[in-house]
Amino acid sequence: MTTILLVEDNPITCKLVRYTLEKDGYQVIDAPDGATGLALYLERRPSLILLDMLLPDIDGFELFHKLRALPNGSDVPILAFSGILSVHDEARLSEVGFDDVVTKPIEPSRLLQIVKGYLPPVDPAPTPRGDGTVRTLVVADDDAVQRKMVALRLQRAGFKVTTAADGQEALERARELRPYAIVSDVLMPRLDGFGLCMAVRSDPSISQIPIVLISNSYLDSEDKSLARRAGADDMLVRTPELRDVIELLHNKVGTTRVRRSQTATLDPELERERIRRMMNQLERQVAMHAGMSQRCSLLSAELSVLSGISEAVATEHDIEGALHQILASCFDAGGISLGTMYLLDDDKLRGVRFGMMESWSDADVTAFFGHRDLLDAAIASQSLVTVPSEAHPEGEFRTLLDRTGARSLTIAPLGHKGQPLGALVTMSRSLEFQPSDRIAFVAAVAGQISLALALARSFQAKDASERAARANATVLRSILDSMAEGVVVSDEHGAVTHWNQAATSILHVAAEDLRAQVIDRPEFPLARALRGESVDRAEVSLDKTETWLSINARPLGDDQSAHGAVAVFRDVTIERAAQTRMLVSERMASLGTLAAGVGHEINNPLMSVLGNLEMAITDLRRIRHDHAEVDFLELGELLRDGKEAAERVRDIVRDLKLFSRSDEETGGEVDVEHVMESSVRMVWNEIRHRATLVRDYHVTPKVYANESRLGQVFLNLVVNAAQAIPEGRASQNEIRIGIGVAPDGRVRVSVTDTGCGMTPELVAKIFTPFFTTKPIGVGTGLGLAICHQLVVAAGGEITVESTAGVGTTFAVLLPPSHSVERVESVVRPAVRDPRRRKILVIDDELLVATTFRRALGRDHDVTMLTDPRHALRLIEGGERFDLVICDLMMPDMTGMDLHAELVARVPEMARRMVFITGGAFTEQAREFLDTHKNPSLEKPIDLEGLRTFVDARLEAIDADV
C-alpha cells in the first residue's frame, strides 16, 4: 500500500485529506509539526509528502530542504500546502523546487487528481516491453500541472520524458533529441497540436517520429479525421491513468514505426481546416468560460446574499428591514431590477418591495396586481412559478406583466419544514424568459431567506420563551416564599434544586443539609417519589424534634422516566395532638352515653353471682353446723350458674378494655366479627328496647387496622342506628348487621336500621364535623366525622344510603390484610410431671393471690406473697422457684421493677417470670410487654386454663434448660 506523509497542524485539514486519500486506497500518516514529520519520514519512508508551509516549529521552506537532505529524499515528490500566496512566495516555491502546489481550501477531487499524478496507480499499469534501448518521449502541454502529470505517468511506464510548454518548443526538442515519439495536447499557444503534426511531417529529419495527440476538448469525429490528415498516429481522450496512450506507445506505435520515404508538403486545404477547427474550439472555450463567468457572478451574488443574511440574523433586530436592504443591493448584482418579498404573519400576507417600483401602490402589491390566486397557490403548494412559461403562458398573464412593467417574473416560495412563510417575487424588464441559471439563483436565495426568517423567528420565540420563563420563575419563587407549607424539589440524581424558606424552618435544617433529611432517608416520601411512587398525606415523624409532618410527593417526568421529584409538607404536630384528644373525647363521650346500659349489663350477672354464692354458702353452713341433708345436685347448679354469670361480667370488662385504649397507635390483623360483637354487647341495652337485632355474618379474611379505633367506629354506627329508632316498638323495627366480602375483595361491614332516615341534603353533610341531627345534649356532631377519618386512615371507605321515613345503611369497606398467614398456637395439655414444682405467686390483691394458690396448690408447692420486695429478699437469700407468677401493676414496686432487679441480681429467676395483668393501661406497661419475651396472662383467668398454661410453661422451661 502506498504511504503518504502529511505534515499539517490544522486538524480539520488533516481529517479531510486523510478521508479523501484513504478512501482511494492510500495509507496516510500525519505529523502536526516539522520534527514529527522528519521522524516519520525516517521510520516509514513515504512515497509522497504533503507539506504545509506554516508549521508551529519550523518554516515550510526550511523543512523542505531538510527532507531533501535525508536518504532518498530527493526521489520523493513533495507538494506544498498553502493558502493565498504572494508573488514573493510563488517565486520561492518555484525556486526551491516543490513538485507542485495544492491551494487551500482543498477540493477533494482536485487533491486526488494531483496526488495520483505523482504516484503510481493503486492498480499498476501493464509492465512495458523493452529491447534494452532508452526510449525518449517529448510531452507538450501548456498546462503545467497536466504536463507534469502526463510526464510522471509516462516515466513510471518506462519512458524517458522531456517536456515542452507548447507545440513550437516541442518541435525544437524533437529536432534536437530525435525522440521515440511525441505526446502532445491539441489546443496550445504559438503552435497547436495539429500544427505540430504538420510541422514534424514536413521536416525530413524528423518526419518519421510517431505523434500521439491527447485532448479533453477535441472529441468529435471531425477532429480525429483532421488529426490523421495532419500526420498524427492517433488522437486519444486524456484520462488520469493514460492507459490507452501507454498501450499505444508500447504496442501499435512501436510495431508500425517506419521511416517515411518522402517529406510531406503543406496542404492549403488542410491548413484552412485546422484553423477552422481551432476557431470552433476557441469559440466553444470562450462560450464555456463566459457561461462559467456568468455562473460565478450569480454565485458571487448568491454568496453576497447569504453573507448579508447571516450578518442580519446575527446582529440585526429588524430582520425584515435588513433583508430589504440586502435584497435591493444583491439582486442588482445578480441582474434583477425589481421585486417583492411577501411575508405571512398570522395568516395575513404583506409585501416588502425592493428595486425600482415607485409606480406600484400598496393595494396593487397586496393584491399581486390582480393575480393574488397565483401567488397564494405558489405559497400553499411551495412550488416555484415562472411567467411566461409552458404552465403559465404570456397570454393568460399579460395583464400581470403589463401592470408590473416586467417582461418576465419568478415566484419562489418561502418556507421551512413544510411551514409556508411567504414568497420571493423577482422580475426582469429586459428578459422575455427567465434563464435556468437565473431561476436557480432566485430559488437558492429564497431558500437562504427562508432559513434566515425561520432562524429569526426561532430566536424571537426563544427570547419570548426566556422572558416568559424568567417571569414565571419570579412568580414561582414569590409563591414558594409566601407559602406556609414546605416545598423541596430534586433532580433525578437526588440533588436538591429548589426549596423555600418554609422547608428549612419546618425541617429545622440548613439548606445544605436538606438532602440528608429528605432524600438520603429511603422511607421519606420524596425518596419514594424519586423511585416512581406517588405519596398522599403520609405522616412522618422527625425523631430529633418530635415533629409530625403531613407530606404529599410526586415524581416529575413522563410515563417512561422520572426526571426528579417534588414534595410538599406541613407541620401537623399540633393538629395531631388535637386529633388524638378529640378521638379520646369522642370515645369517652360514647362510653359515657352507654354507662347506664353497661351498668345494667353488669348488675344482672353480678346479682346472679352474689345470689347463687349466698345460697351455696348457706347450704354449706347447714351441712357444717346443723348436719342437715343438702341436695348436692342443686348446690352444683348454684355454683355453675354463679360461674356463668361471672364469665358474663368478665366479657363485659374485656369489651370495656377494648374501648378504653386512648392512645394506642399500632395496628395489626383484626377479626371484624369479634370487634363487632364486642360493640354490640356494649350497646345491647340501647338496642333491645328499640329493635330486633339480626346478624348476617359470613366468613371474611382479617383486616389490618387498629382494633380499638375500629371498635369505636362500629360502636358509633350501632349507637346511631339504635338512636334513630324510638323506644317501645322493638318488635316492629330491625337493626341488621352484615359482615361479608364485597365484589372487589374488600371486607364489607354494614349496619342497617329501619329508623327515621335522612333527606339527601342531610346525607351530604353527615360526615361534616360538628353537624348532628340529634337534639342538643345528645350528640357532639363529631362521631361520624371521626368514623370517616378513622376508616380512611385504615385504607378503607365508609358510605351511607338513606331514605327519609324508611331507614339508613352505613357500610364500611376495608382492604383485607396481606400479611403472611399466621399459624395459631395450639395449647395442648401438658403431660403432668410427677414431681411437684415450686411456684411463687406475687399479687397485692390477697383474694387474687389466694385464688391462684388454691387453683395450683393441688399439684404444686405454691408460695403466696402480696409484697414484691419480700419476694426479692427471699430470692436473694437463696430461695429458688421453678416459676414466678407476678402481677404487672402494683403500688409500691411493680412487676416490671422486680423483673429489672432480678435481671441484675438473679437472671435465672427473671427468665422464669410470668406476668398477670388486669390491663396494660400505661405506655410504659405496653412497651414492657412488647419488648420482653416473658409471657403474660390477662385477668380474669379461668382456673383450668391457668393450670394448662402453667404446666406448658414449666415444660418449656425444662426444655430450654
Side-chain angles (χ1 to χ4, degrees), residues 889 894 896-897 920-929 931:
M889 305 298 295
T894 67
M896 297 178 286
D897 297 332
F921 295 107
T922 68
E923 180 67 28
Q924 180 187 8
R926 287 196 295 273
E927 182 178 355
F928 178 85
L929 293 178
T931 55

Side-chain angles (χ1 to χ4, degrees), residues 657-686:
K657 287 164 59 180
L658 171 65
F659 294 100
S660 64
R661 298 170 186 169
S662 61
D663 56 349
E664 183 71 35
E665 292 288 346
T666 59
E669 286 190 334
V670 176
D671 184 342
V672 293
E673 182 178 336
H674 168 72
V675 177
M676 177 57 78
E677 282 299 300
S678 295
S679 302
V680 168
R681 282 194 292 269
M682 292 290 294
V683 299
W684 177 243
N685 197 50
E686 290 280 334

Side-chain angles (χ1 to χ4, degrees), residues 835-853:
R835 295 184 298 108
R836 293 176 65 84
R837 305 298 185 91
K838 293 181 64 177
I839 297 177
L840 174 62
V841 175
I842 308 168
D843 197 308
D844 60 319
E845 288 286 348
L846 181 61
L847 288 176
V848 175
T850 303
T851 301
F852 272 70
R853 180 178 60 79

Side-chain angles (χ1 to χ4, degrees), residues 866-880:
T866 58
D867 187 350
R869 290 172 296 188
H870 184 191
L872 179 61
R873 290 192 297 270
L874 191 66
I875 293 173
E876 284 184 324
E879 190 71 28
R880 295 293 181 266

Side-chain angles (χ1 to χ4, degrees), residues 361-374:
S361 67
D362 292 339
D364 283 343
V365 171
T366 302
F368 196 52
F369 307 94
H371 289 75
R372 177 65 181 269
D373 55 341
L374 178 64

